[in-house]
Amino acid sequence: MAPKVFMTGATGYIGGNTLHHLMEKSPKAYEVAALVRSSDKGAQVASQYPTIRLVYGDLDSAELLEEEAKKADIVLNCASADHAAGAEALIKGLAAHPSESPGFIIHTSGATVIAFADIERQIFGESSSKIYDDWDGVSEVTSLPDFAPHRNVDKLVLAGGSQKVKAAIVCPPTIYGRGQGPGNQRSIQLPELARCTLEKGHGIQVGAGKASWNNIHVHDLSDLYVALIEAAAAGGGKASWGPEGYHFAENGEHVWGKIAQAVATTAHKQGFIPTDRVEVHSNEEINEMSKGGTVLWGANSRCRAVRARTLLGWSPQGESIEDVIAETVASEADLRGFVKHHAEQVTG
């Protein structure tokens, strides 16, 4: 009998792309059920994957989540890093499994969890030498301060691990690249930076522009989720579950000031803005342009993904974040009507 997978976030950027990779690689290997919030969302999934069972509800549907998790062998939670009640319901459902046949949960966190120091001090745009790793330093990662973003749900998931529930967390940094899922195919940090650059007519920088984040192509991230699903289907495989089951996902890092300049230069070359100049804006202005922009482009979030490489043979191969800037700027311009506006200016 094929393992049963219940997933949340199937029409989201991360979950949708992971669903695409899973179904493309192993279309008949799993019985997949997906939580969707509406008939429109359900239609998006069904149009690409007609064999998937649709479950209508949301992360507040605690009884429904618990019941679906009871039925599932593997739960993939990609819908939210911050919905504690939803995570609790999923773990409660999996806990109904017998000890000899545990259920598995793969939960999605986010790399702002390790940006807590800059957030607490409200210092943005400066550099930091602090780098976390999920191998030798995993105990530090799993004992971060309670006020760190996403930390409450990370703790809940890790604490929910038992003989009946095997838990793993995936913690992505800046994700880039066009998704292939049935719903949202747009990331946040790089597209938002491009949008703000286009709308302001110049590059956008937080503080001194020295803050660093790691990054990962969305397809490489999905490969990690699929590797964990495959390990879970094999009874756990070589993957880490429980207290050490924390997986960063990165393939290098970038400095936000350099990315800001590259976006501005690209937007200028493509003819969408009059200058490639980058301007520093106040924290208040940045956050008005894009919610949480000071953190997304100004806090430091640096890590090393050792665990997935060591245990799962995960080897990210995607193009670099710099390689997708031109496509991202052009896509945002098209989405916001800048392509048409520019063409009208040129011809008129």
Side-chain angles (χ1 to χ4, degrees):
M1 183 179 294
K4 296 179 180 178
V5 177
F6 174 61
M7 73 173 299
T8 70
T11 59
Y13 179 61
I14 296 174
N17 201 73
T18 298
L19 177 61
H20 174 83
H21 277 232
L22 183 67
M23 299 302 287
E24 187 176 65
K25 183 177 182 181
S26 307
K28 298 181 180 180
Y30 304 93
E31 290 184 22
V32 180
L35 182 73
V36 291
R37 289 175 294 176
S38 65
S39 57
D40 289 343
K41 297 288 186 181
Q44 289 179 342
V45 176
S47 66
Q48 284 188 228
Y49 312 108
T51 62
I52 288 179
R53 180 171 62 87
L54 301 176
V55 179
Y56 288 93
D58 57 31
L59 293 180
D60 291 319
S61 308
E63 291 184 6
L64 177 66
L65 295 180
E66 182 181 344
E67 190 61 32
E68 288 298 327
K70 285 180 183 178
K71 300 175 187 176
D73 300 300
I74 304 162
V75 169
L76 178 62
N77 187 20
C78 294
S80 173
D82 297 309
H83 201 292
E88 283 180 328
L90 293 169
I91 291 169
K92 185 177 179 181
L94 286 172
H97 283 236
S99 299
E100 61 272 17
S101 181
F104 291 82
I105 183 168
I106 303 164
H107 172 73
T108 304
S109 184
T112 52
V113 71
I114 55 172
F116 69 88
D118 288 349
I119 296 171
E120 182 187 27
R121 296 179 301 157
Q122 290 292 288
I123 295 177
F124 301 110
E126 298 299 325
S127 62
S128 172
S129 60
K130 177 63 178 178
I131 300 175
Y132 294 88
D133 86 82
D134 60 9
W135 189 254
D136 292 330
V138 67
S139 61
E140 181 182 19
V141 175
T142 57
S143 57
L144 295 173
D146 285 351
F147 62 81
H150 316 313
R151 174 66 180 146
N152 63 322
V153 183
D154 280 5
K155 284 178 64 177
L156 189 156
V157 172
L158 293 172
S162 65
Q163 289 297 105
K164 297 180 178 181
V165 182
K166 304 300 180 183
I169 291 175
V170 176
C171 186
T174 298
I175 314 169
Y176 59 91
R178 185 184 295 276
Q180 295 177 298
N184 178 37
Q185 298 182 346
R186 178 185 183 267
S187 187
I188 297 174
Q189 284 166 284
L190 183 60
E192 278 292 284
L193 184 61
R195 176 186 67 80
C196 293
T197 297
L198 291 166
E199 292 180 352
K200 289 295 181 180
H202 58 254
I204 305 298
Q205 182 172 299
V206 178
K210 297 179 180 178
S212 297
W213 272 64
N214 293 100
N215 53 67
I216 189 69
H217 196 286
V218 66
H219 299 336
D220 289 323
L221 176 60
S222 293
D223 286 343
L224 174 53
Y225 281 105
V226 171
L228 284 168
I229 291 170
E230 291 173 342
K238 296 180 179 179
S240 294
W241 306 93
E244 295 188 346
Y246 206 99
H247 304 76
F248 287 128
E250 53 79 23
N251 191 29
E253 67 178 13
H254 60 272
V255 176
W256 277 115
K258 293 182 179 179
I259 296 297
Q261 183 62 72
V263 169
T265 299
T266 300
H268 178 56
K269 285 182 177 179
Q270 292 181 356
F272 300 126
I273 60 176
T275 177
D276 64 358
R277 186 181 72 255
V278 174
E279 293 188 10
V280 177
H281 288 262
S282 70
N283 292 346
E284 291 76 15
E285 289 172 331
I286 292 288
N287 288 328
E288 285 177 5
M289 293 180 208
S290 186
K291 184 179 179 181
T294 49
V295 174
L296 297 180
W297 308 321
N300 287 279
S301 176
R302 306 182 69 191
C303 64
R304 297 291 179 265
V306 181
R307 186 164 299 275
R309 287 180 169 93
T310 301
L311 298 182
L312 299 174
W314 179 65
S315 179
Q317 304 292 327
E319 57 190 338
S320 72
I321 190 170
E322 292 82 4
D323 289 338
V324 304
I325 287 175
E327 177 189 353
T328 302
V329 169
S331 177
E332 288 299 305
D334 184 46
L335 185 64
R336 313 290 166 183
F338 277 85
V339 170
K340 181 179 179 181
H341 177 67
H342 173 64
E344 289 173 348
Q345 285 184 328
V346 171
T347 59

